[in-house]
Amino acid sequence: MIPAQLDIRLVPAAVAVWAVALVGLHLGWFATVLCGVLAVAFALLAVWRGTGVWANGLLAASVLAGAAAVVVTSHALPAATHPLRELASKGATATIRATLSEDPRPLRTKGYAGRPAGADQVAVRARLSEDPGGSVLLLAPADAWSKLLPEQEVTATGALIMPRGGDFTVAVLRVRGPPIAVGLAPSWQTAADGVRTGLRDAAKVLSPELAGLLPALVVGDTGGLSPRVVEEFRLSGLAHLLAVSGANLAIVCGAVLLLFRLLTAGPRLAGLAAVLALVGFVVLARPEPSVLRAAVMGGVTLLALVLGRKGSALPALAGSVIALLLFDPGLATTAGFALSVLATAALVILAPRWAGALRDRGVPVGLAEAIAVPAAAQLATAPVIAALSGEISLVAIPANLLAAPVVAPATVFGVLAALVSTVHEGTAELLVHLAGPEVWWLVTVGRYAAAVPDSGVPWPSGVLGGLLLAALLVVVVMLLRSRRFRIVVVLGVVVLVLTAVPVKLLKPQWPVDGWASVACDVGQGDAVVLAVAEPGRAVLVDTGPEPLAVNACLDRLGVDRVPVVVLSHLHADHIGGLAAVLAERSVGAVAVGPLREPAWAMKEVRDTAAAAGVPLIELGRGQRLEWPGLVLEVLAPLRSPAPRTSAAPLPGTAVNDASLVLRAHTPAGRMLLTGDIELATQAELLASTVDISADVLKVPHHGSRYSLPRFLGAVRPRVALICVGAGNDYGHPSPLVLQSLAGVRVLRTDLDGDIAVLATRDGLATARRGEPRPPPRR
């Protein structure tokens, strides 16, 4: 598996240093001291054994492990005994003076009810000014802190809380207000920020999704990224493109080397230019620990390319790991560090061998490299990704193979656009246009790869799951060297296909024939699809909290035309997927109720519909909408909303009670769609003359406890559908509601996935997509 010419003598030392750092971070300074004692003992053993390859290797590993123990202890002991740590254990309030170590990172939250999705807080690491060795994590309001730059000194007041562990953070400070006494940022940070801002401004000539992706791809500026793109890249295995990595720096430096070679410059001049480009890119992307790590790994990657991936690249990688961990032991527990090391090691060890094997079988050189490099990197990083995500992606390697050819040109054009943006805006925009097709291709690959059904295989998460997969991959790669084992693997795959395909064909297919309505599994939110008697056409009531889930549900149902999207009310968990639906479907209109609150949500809906060229209409009590095979009647709100006398936001209950209540007449029977109505509106409907009886009830408000048993009983449903997210924090569905529905067939999206109601010869029936899932643990 490892070419014979590779020099692995430094690898045990790198592993030893990494292990000591992990011990110190997870077990504390006392355990690190014990590691130092063991290192001294092994060093003495190596000296006693005398010279030789084994003894020299043991001595080097022991000495470096001892040095790591000293360094880690010098970080861990002060952090554990710092006065702020004791105050944090008591939840005390403190005022600190600190210097920011990085850009404030937005903490994105999912929208729910009247709370919009987005980032209203930032997290930023900082160094304590009065204690140069101490570091804190600040959680602060986004509007007041997001514009700060690294190396600015600030004063902050807030409540101290204990850190989670796994690093040398002294305490976490939850800041409520703006920074105080803000110092000036260094000139080089201000200049770098100007270049980054120039790239963001120039990128605005592209569509919003592409404009947000280009700065992230080039310099790791993720502030403008679409949440949908982030999720699609995560699902497709392309998330590494959204952060500065060694690949970014290798591309930039490689482009500089190529340029100087074309200018017939000597190797020394070309090398000096590449080093200057490396330093300049680090400044542009911020010299934070993650970027410095990427710089070192990028340098190793560049070395591997320059040297033709000869044996000297592996010692350089091992030496870089040792140097980085001695400089910043906290890197040992970061996923980014592990992914960088493993990907670079794969480039050095596996990719050359695989590319050579492909060339020997007649594959052209360029194609062999294009296949071997991303395949090796994905294989090497799979255990870490599985440990983090709890699944093995089946689309990551194909997605990366398709994405790889455009990453380099997009990066080069993006860097040039960033540099030129400070001089001439028009030229920068031209360069952005040149990068546009490549960025569009990346979004397209991520979108289609993320949409592949069942593209992830569940796998145990955590350290044990990662180690298990690593061991399995090592065994498989070693056994694949045997021709007999390769034949066995091929036969196993054939048998698996021949058995799995018939089993899948025997399972109930989705969508089921004759479905009249489907409650989509969109997490903690609502999305109900009502079929029209025309293939590919259906009405959608609510769109869930996220874009991917509702679009995936509509894709599975084969719906590409939506006469109307009805938004029962304007809470985030009902409107979050609207933009995605309008972008990818032919939509006739968007309908809302008479209450236009919350204001931010109404603006979002109005702007989204206008951008898509879709009319916005209002529905009120008594209106009737008809299509072949479907009739919708609006039963509530029973009265118009009262005029507002205050600019303060309406309480969530008032917005919920103003939900549109719809009665759908379908081939499977009558269905009552209740939005999120609560006690007041339910009582009003009971007191009115409105007939609320139905065969199928979409239970109000995700099955919350704010439901009247009398209301549920008055509907007299045969089937009750509860749209609810698995493991939600709201206690939905309430046991009281489930008790009130005793005797009714209750189906829940958190347990059953997508739920279909259909008409059969024997009457109303239901079907679930996939096997029932166990109830989530509380």
Side-chain angles (χ1 to χ4, degrees):
M1 184 174 68
I2 300 177
Q5 69 269 24
L6 287 178
D7 185 350
I8 63 172
R9 287 175 293 180
L10 269 181
V11 172
V15 173
V17 170
W18 202 337
V20 171
L22 288 172
V23 168
L25 287 162
H26 288 291
L27 301 181
W29 63 270
F30 186 75
T32 312
V33 171
L34 294 180
C35 289
V37 173
L38 287 175
V40 171
F42 278 111
L44 292 175
L45 175 63
V47 171
W48 178 71
R49 290 297 300 267
T51 59
V53 174
W54 180 88
N56 291 340
L58 179 61
L59 180 61
S62 301
V63 170
L64 289 169
V70 173
V71 172
V72 173
T73 303
S74 69
H75 285 76
L77 180 58
T81 58
H82 198 281
L84 285 181
R85 180 69 66 91
E86 183 178 356
L87 292 174
S89 66
K90 300 175 182 178
T93 299
T95 298
I96 63 169
R97 185 75 177 166
T99 301
L100 305 188
S101 303
E102 60 185 11
D103 279 302
R105 293 175 287 108
L107 300 176
R108 299 190 180 276
T109 57
K110 293 183 178 181
Y112 184 73
R115 182 190 70 199
D120 56 2
Q121 277 197 323
V122 295
V124 57
R125 295 196 176 275
R127 305 183 302 275
L128 293 169
S129 299
E130 65 274 11
D131 180 10
S135 66
V136 293
L137 177 66
L138 305 177
L139 302 179
D143 54 356
W145 287 74
S146 58
K147 300 299 183 183
L148 296 180
L149 299 178
E151 301 306 318
Q152 282 190 279
E153 194 175 23
V154 300
T155 298
T157 300
L160 291 168
I161 56 178
M162 290 290 289
R164 291 189 301 178
D167 57 23
F168 301 121
T169 302
V170 171
V172 177
L173 186 71
R174 190 178 294 278
V175 183
R176 299 297 183 188
I180 306 168
V182 179
L184 295 176
S187 57
W188 54 275
Q189 286 281 11
T190 304
D193 186 64
V195 175
R196 291 160 67 95
T197 301
L199 176 59
R200 286 197 300 269
D201 293 340
K204 291 178 181 177
V205 298
L206 303 175
S207 66
E209 286 187 336
L210 306 187
L213 177 57
L214 183 60
L217 177 70
V218 175
V219 294
D221 182 357
T222 59
L225 269 175
S226 160
R228 182 183 182 186
V229 170
V230 173
E231 181 65 8
E232 287 170 341
F233 272 43
R234 183 190 68 81
L235 293 173
S236 61
L238 299 177
H240 60 91
L241 298 177
L242 304 180
V244 174
S245 66
N248 295 76
L249 291 113
I251 289 169
V252 172
C253 295
V256 171
L257 281 175
L258 178 62
L259 175 62
F260 274 74
R261 291 285 178 87
L262 292 176
L263 296 175
T264 66
R268 291 185 178 180
L269 180 58
L272 177 61
V275 170
L276 292 176
L278 182 69
V279 173
F281 190 85
V282 168
V283 171
L284 178 61
R286 306 286 199 225
E288 301 167 1
S290 59
V291 178
L292 293 175
R293 177 203 73 221
V296 175
M297 295 304 168
V300 173
T301 304
L302 187 61
L303 176 64
L305 293 173
V306 171
L307 298 178
R309 303 185 179 92
K310 302 298 182 183
S312 53
L314 187 58
L317 173 61
S320 300
V321 170
I322 294 169
L324 281 168
L325 290 176
L326 291 178
F327 172 73
D328 183 5
L331 290 173
T333 58
T334 60
F337 180 74
L339 292 172
S340 291
V341 173
L342 292 172
T344 308
L347 178 66
V348 171
I349 298 173
L350 296 179
R353 187 176 182 86
W354 291 2
L358 291 172
R359 289 196 300 269
D360 293 342
R361 288 165 175 77
V363 179
V365 175
L367 181 58
E369 296 280 343
I371 294 174
V373 170
Q378 285 296 318
L379 180 74
T381 56
V384 176
I385 296 173
L388 295 172
S389 64
E391 68 175 18
I392 301 172
S393 174
L394 302 180
V395 299
I397 290 179
N400 277 273
L401 287 173
L402 292 171
V406 303
V407 173
T411 301
V412 172
F413 285 133
V415 170
L416 291 175
L419 297 175
V420 172
S421 65
T422 59
V423 180
H424 192 268
E425 183 179 351
T427 304
E429 291 177 351
L430 174 62
L431 291 166
V432 166
H433 277 299
L434 293 176
E438 294 93 313
V439 181
W440 171 85
W441 176 249
L442 292 175
V443 171
T444 302
V445 170
R447 184 150 296 164
Y448 278 95
V452 174
D454 302 322
S455 60
V457 177
W459 190 264
S461 60
V463 176
L464 291 179
L467 292 176
L468 177 63
L469 182 58
L472 179 63
L473 290 176
V474 168
V475 171
V476 170
V477 170
M478 293 183 67
L479 290 177
L480 281 175
R481 300 177 66 187
S482 165
R483 184 173 181 273
R484 292 181 179 178
F485 184 75
R486 288 198 296 268
I487 294 174
V488 172
V489 170
V490 171
L491 291 176
V493 171
V494 171
V495 171
L496 181 64
V497 170
L498 291 178
T499 55
V501 170
V503 169
K504 188 168 184 177
L505 291 175
L506 290 174
K507 285 185 177 181
Q509 295 300 294
W510 194 264
V512 291
D513 292 336
W515 66 272
S517 66
V518 170
C520 297
D521 180 11
V522 293
Q524 185 65 11
D526 275 13
V528 177
V529 186
L530 301 171
V532 175
E534 183 180 339
R537 197 162 179 243
V539 170
L540 177 63
V541 180
D542 291 324
T543 63
E546 302 287 343
L548 295 186
V550 65
N551 259 340
C553 181
L554 292 172
D555 285 339
R556 290 190 291 268
L557 296 173
V559 173
D560 55 12
R561 289 164 295 157
V562 181
V564 62
V565 176
V566 180
L567 302 176
S568 64
H569 62 298
L570 301 180
H571 274 166
D573 49 325
H574 293 253
I575 68 170
L578 178 62
V581 173
L582 296 185
E584 300 191 16
R585 320 279 157 182
S586 174
V587 177
V590 175
V592 297
L595 183 65
R596 305 298 181 93
E597 297 285 342
W600 67 264
M602 188 63 231
K603 181 179 185 303
E604 181 177 306
V605 169
R606 185 185 295 112
D607 293 347
T608 301
V614 175
L616 184 66
I617 62 176
E618 181 178 315
L619 295 180
R621 180 188 179 189
Q623 284 186 265
R624 182 184 176 96
L625 306 175
E626 296 187 36
W627 300 271
L630 176 66
V631 176
L632 276 184
E633 296 177 293
V634 182
L635 306 185
L638 296 175
R639 46 193 169 81
S640 300
R644 295 297 307 279
T645 59
S646 170
L650 274 180
T653 296
V655 177
N656 288 336
D657 271 327
S659 295
L660 289 170
V661 177
L662 308 173
R663 180 167 55 208
H665 298 265
T666 76
R670 296 205 304 184
M671 183 174 187
L672 188 67
L673 301 168
T674 56
D676 280 358
I677 59 171
E678 297 187 8
L679 304 177
T681 298
Q682 292 175 29
E684 288 180 359
L685 284 169
L686 287 172
S688 71
T689 58
V690 175
D691 179 11
I692 59 173
S693 63
D695 302 292
V696 180
L697 168 67
K698 200 289 295 181
V699 177
H701 201 181
H702 322 295
S704 86
R705 66 182 185 275
Y706 300 114
S707 288
L708 294 171
R710 289 191 303 113
F711 176 81
L712 301 176
V715 179
R716 300 191 303 278
R718 296 167 57 192
V719 174
L721 306 178
I722 303 179
C723 299
V724 62
N728 66 86
D729 297 327
Y730 309 99
H732 298 163
S734 166
L736 297 176
V737 170
L738 296 177
Q739 183 179 350
S740 299
L741 291 169
V744 178
R745 188 189 313 167
V746 177
L747 297 172
R748 299 162 46 175
T749 57
D750 62 334
L751 303 183
D752 303 305
D754 296 347
I755 305 164
V757 176
L758 57 149
T760 68
R761 292 179 180 177
D762 300 323
L764 182 150
T766 60
R768 298 171 292 194
R769 180 177 176 266
E771 299 297 329
R773 290 170 279 186
R777 294 180 180 178
R778 293 291 183 187

